[in-house]
Each structure stands twice: as structure tokens, then as C-alpha cells.
Amino acid sequence: MLMPGDSAGLEGSSMGDMSLPTAAVSEVVRIAPQPGPQQQFLESDADIVIYGGAAGGGKTYALLLEALRNVDAPGFGAVIFRRNANQILAQGGLWDTSRDIYSGLAQMRLTPTPRWLFPSGARISFACLEDEAAVLKWQGSQIALICFDELTHFSRAQFFYMLSRNRSTCGVRPYVRATCNPDSDSWV
């Protein structure tokens, strides 16, 4: 069985092909980014990267792959934000897609928040920021990777407040990844 830290192409700045075991058998499934924007997004070493484009381009999937990059680092934490819980837990949505990718690599927990716990102690969590005050629940947090799925759904104030939580003691340089659909009226 492939475990985080094995040669799965998750280390460094290149995502390459990733080998993931299926949950039911020891068969290995290879996952690679789509050539073009998805691959460029995953290969960037910039502190903040925003991946924009029309629906169906693989942006959310890319966020889920990005979160795997450092799961072999003890204490690593990533949080993937959506505006509300339904956008995380809806049928065929973010949580369901994460199960397709992460099953067999980590333990799934749904309470108090949906999260994946990896053997190294790393975790990938899913959370919502339904209103402006929701950011205050994150006071004192240290989040090595902050992801915003559909950044245009969040306010400028929410984004910049959460940047103050983007810090790390796990040895991973803090960074931010976001996706968005075109929206000419957005602050993004």
C-alpha cells in the first residue's frame, strides 16, 4: 500500500503523477493533473495562487490534490473553505470528491468538522465562512495551507483576515491556494 511520503510524486513543487491505493484492494491508481492550467496551478511555488476559469475545468479537484502535497509532514494542516456547509457536503460535491481521492490514505472524520487524518498526524479539514464574523472562530489558528474554493463567494475582508492565520510550525512554508469562476463584479 502506498503511504504519504512514498514516491507518489507529492514532494517538492512538481505534482507529476500520483499513485493512490484504492480502499478495497491493493491496486494502485495513478492520478495526474490535466495538462495546462491545472498542472500550472499545482506546479507553482508562489505564496498565493488563484486558479480561475469556467465550471468543469478541474479547479476544485486541483485544490484537493494540492492539499496532499505535504501530508507526510507531521503537524501539517490544510483547511479548504467554502462559503457554506451545503457547498461542502452536497451530493457529488467537495466532500464526496475528497473521499474518491483520500480514501485508503487517511481516516475520515465528520464531527466536529469534516476532516481527513493522515498517519503522519497531518490533517485536511473542510470549513465554511458563512458570514463576516465567522473568521473570528479562527483566531489563534496556525494553518500552513489555506484553500478557498470559489474565492469570489468570500469577501475581501474574510480573505485578508484568514491570511493572518496562514502560518506554520510544521516546517512547511505557509501558502494559499484559491479557485474562482469569472465574476466581473467581484473584488478578486
Side-chain angles (χ1 to χ4, degrees), residues 19-35:
S19 301
L20 303 175
T22 60
V25 295
S26 61
E27 160 189 357
V28 173
V29 176
R30 298 223 180 265
I31 297 177
Q34 297 173 34

Side-chain angles (χ1 to χ4, degrees), residues 93-174:
L94 186 60
W95 181 253
D96 285 353
T97 304
S98 79
R99 280 196 328 227
D100 294 342
I101 299 171
Y102 302 159
S103 291
L105 291 176
Q107 292 181 323
M108 172 179 41
R109 301 287 164 101
L110 285 171
T111 56
T113 61
R115 71 181 60 190
W116 292 94
L117 304 173
F118 291 83
S120 68
R123 64 181 176 227
I124 299 171
S125 303
F126 299 83
C128 57
L129 297 173
E130 289 196 9
D131 56 41
E132 295 301 309
V135 297
L136 299 177
K137 296 176 186 174
W138 295 90
Q139 284 184 347
S141 296
Q142 297 184 47
I143 309 167
L145 170 59
I146 296 176
C147 298
F148 291 93
D149 196 19
E150 298 299 343
L151 182 58
T152 56
H153 294 181
F154 298 91
S155 72
R156 177 184 170 98
Q158 287 174 313
F159 177 77
F160 282 102
Y161 179 85
M162 292 309 298
L163 285 183
S164 73
R165 308 298 93 204
N166 190 214
R167 46 200 179 148
S168 170
T169 58
C170 69
V172 173
R173 188 181 88 202

Side-chain angles (χ1 to χ4, degrees), residues 74-90:
F76 172 77
V79 180
I80 301 175
F81 289 100
R82 284 299 303 236
R83 187 61 186 215
N84 65 55
N86 188 62
Q87 294 171 340
I88 296 168
L89 299 172

